[in-house]
Amino acid sequence: MLVENQCPLQALNTFGIAARAQQLVRIADESDVRAVLDDPELRDRPKFVLGGGSNIVLTGDVKALVLKVEVAGRRLVGETPRHWIIEAGAGENWHDLVAWTLDQGWPGLENLALIPGTVGASPVQNIGAYGVELQDCFDSLDAVDLESGRIFVLDSAQCAFSYRDSIFKHAAAMGLQGRRGLGLAGRALILRVRLALPKAWKPVLGYADIERRMALEGAVVSDVTPRRVFDWVCDIRRHKLPDPAVLGNAGSFFKNPSVTPEQCADIIARDPKVVHYPMPDGSIKLAAGWMIDACGWKGKTVGRAGVYERQALVLVNRGTMQQPCTGGEIMTLAKAIQTSVYERFGIRLEPEPVVV
Ligand code: EPU
């Protein structure tokens, strides 16, 4: 086991924030976790699990021991009458996995193309895009308990998935919003994820951006192939969202808030154009990007943190490689946005990334 001291994290987070890990250990498999837990100096240290760094804001150097997940491998591990079961190491790149499954003839992930980050991070925030969420194709995962070293398996119900949320985002004494059981934030390191991809593929085309693309190309449902959906999604994302390799960002910075129909009617009475979607459970989801845009934030810059000019839900690093924005600048901008959205709409926006 190699412990890297004062390890730079700028290239390991998609915002490109310059911070250091006091100590970092790369985890290629469970034996590396065991080595950490057997080490008397490292065993009891607080630990921070780092995947692709695509959903974090670093507000300073990380004092906890950083475990950088690099578990590799992708393979078909089984099948049921209706599904192919694919397993991937937590350190695999998510988009590469999506492309590989398509190449192998196992479609189902195409709507989730180009989401930055690793396979291991995908269940943590239940990644989602264009009408599909990870939970729709999730089978199970293997994780290791960072206190006991025990390896355990969780199925979909045990992961407690909901919109951009799972058991991995909640601390041990969870009990929030009527949820029972223990949260696993800081407690578990995901090693491998298994996905169940349908043998009888059906495209998911209901999202407005995809419908527009179909209309533009005059495509009918029977013409649609998984590859075509993949290409559309890649194209839409490349047009709307900044490439973290070019402009640092962490995707959507806020979650789309959920309100009651009464609250929504109240907002519509004042702002008839507010973009909103009725949800199956009777609640209404509001487009946070629309609200931030309506407050005039799109394209604005405060210090070295900015609001992307094509999608107001995305905050970006407007600094340079030598002088990148800080996590503090991102959070100052985020708070200013939260205040204006609250003052105008009475809605408290909740950040999506984990603030470290
Ligand atoms: N809108 C504006 N102005 C803006 C941004 C959005 O008016 O600056 C409007 C759009 O015109 C549209 C509505 O708001 O009517 C929703 O926008 P969009 O379709 O771009 O989707 P979103 O709700 O902003 C969500 C996810 C994205 C995901 C897309 C597509 C969240 C927090 N974000 O964005 O996920 O790619 O839908 O499914 O749910 C991510 O999580 O990092 C992410 C990029």
Side-chain angles (χ1 to χ4, degrees):
M1 176 185 55
L2 178 70
V3 180
E4 296 171 45
N5 292 309
Q6 297 303 321
C7 180
L9 296 175
Q10 190 171 6
L12 300 184
N13 74 98
T14 59
F15 258 124
I17 293 168
R20 285 176 185 275
Q22 285 185 355
Q23 290 190 307
L24 179 145
V25 174
R26 295 175 193 268
I27 305 295
D29 59 31
E30 37 268 73
S31 69
D32 290 326
V33 178
R34 212 152 293 134
V36 168
L37 297 182
D38 286 345
D39 185 306
E41 293 203 353
L42 300 180
R43 187 171 48 210
D44 299 322
R45 293 267 309 277
K47 298 173 190 70
F48 177 73
V49 178
L50 179 62
S54 59
N55 207 40
I56 55 170
V57 184
L58 296 170
T59 55
D61 289 345
V62 184
K63 293 183 186 67
L65 174 67
V66 174
L67 303 177
K68 170 81 176 79
V69 182
E70 297 185 344
V71 182
R74 331 178 270 224
R75 60 196 180 119
L76 178 72
V77 285
E79 64 178 293
T80 68
R82 291 168 56 196
H83 293 99
W84 302 111
I85 310 294
I86 312 298
E87 182 179 88
E92 292 284 335
N93 175 276
W94 173 263
H95 176 75
D96 291 348
L97 175 71
V98 174
W100 177 77
T101 53
L102 273 193
D103 289 344
Q104 302 298 311
W106 305 316
L109 301 178
E110 54 284 343
N111 294 51
L112 302 177
L114 272 192
I115 294 183
T118 54
V119 167
S122 64
V124 176
Q125 59 151 348
N126 186 21
I127 56 172
Y130 306 103
V132 176
E133 287 184 316
L134 182 85
Q135 70 180 99
D136 301 329
C137 45
F138 181 85
D139 176 73
S140 56
L141 58 78
D142 301 337
V144 53
D145 182 331
L146 292 174
E147 284 172 19
S148 66
R150 194 176 53 92
I151 291 179
F152 59 95
V153 179
L154 293 186
D155 64 19
S156 186
Q158 289 166 320
C159 288
F161 291 124
S162 63
Y163 169 62
R164 295 295 193 277
D165 198 20
S166 75
I167 194 165
F168 300 102
K169 276 191 139 183
H170 294 265
M174 185 156 66
L176 286 174
Q177 295 160 357
R179 283 158 174 265
R180 267 174 273 124
L182 293 178
L184 291 175
R187 174 88 196 261
L189 182 146
I190 297 169
L191 292 165
R192 287 171 289 271
V193 176
R194 282 173 293 279
L195 302 170
L197 303 181
K199 289 179 176 173
W201 177 77
K202 268 209 221 117
V204 178
L205 303 169
Y207 202 88
D209 278 338
I210 295 192
E211 282 175 348
R212 264 194 293 275
R213 191 54 62 109
M214 283 182 74
L216 204 70
E217 295 187 14
V220 292
V221 177
S222 55
D223 295 338
V224 173
T225 61
R227 177 66 57 183
R228 211 162 168 194
V229 177
F230 175 87
D231 289 341
W232 284 335
V233 169
C234 290
D235 220 46
I236 295 165
R237 288 188 75 100
R238 286 200 180 103
H239 182 72
K240 271 197 166 180
L241 299 168
D243 176 355
V246 179
L247 185 63
N249 75 91
S252 298
F253 196 88
F254 298 102
K255 294 184 192 181
N256 284 329
S258 189
V259 296
T260 63
E262 294 73 28
Q263 284 171 299
C264 187
D266 193 45
I267 294 172
I268 291 172
R270 285 176 284 133
D271 277 285
K273 287 192 188 147
V274 65
V275 178
H276 59 285
Y277 319 92
M279 301 308 286
D281 66 0
S283 66
I284 313 272
K285 199 169 267 181
L286 301 176
W290 183 90
M291 292 193 284
I292 298 168
D293 195 356
C295 291
W297 281 104
K298 203 186 234 174
K300 289 270 164 68
T301 300
V302 177
R304 284 165 297 186
V307 180
Y308 191 52
E309 48 277 7
R310 291 197 218 148
Q311 219 312 2
L313 200 49
V314 178
L315 302 193
V316 296
N317 174 357
R318 295 235 177 261
T320 60
M321 186 77 136
Q322 291 71 32
Q323 285 196 309
C325 77
T326 62
E329 285 174 308
I330 293 285
M331 295 315 292
T332 300
L333 173 59
K335 287 199 178 91
I337 292 171
Q338 281 170 313
T339 303
S340 39
V341 168
Y342 183 70
E343 283 171 358
R344 173 150 170 195
F345 298 100
I347 298 288
R348 291 188 197 282
L349 292 182
E350 200 187 317
E352 211 195 274
V354 176
V355 181
V356 186

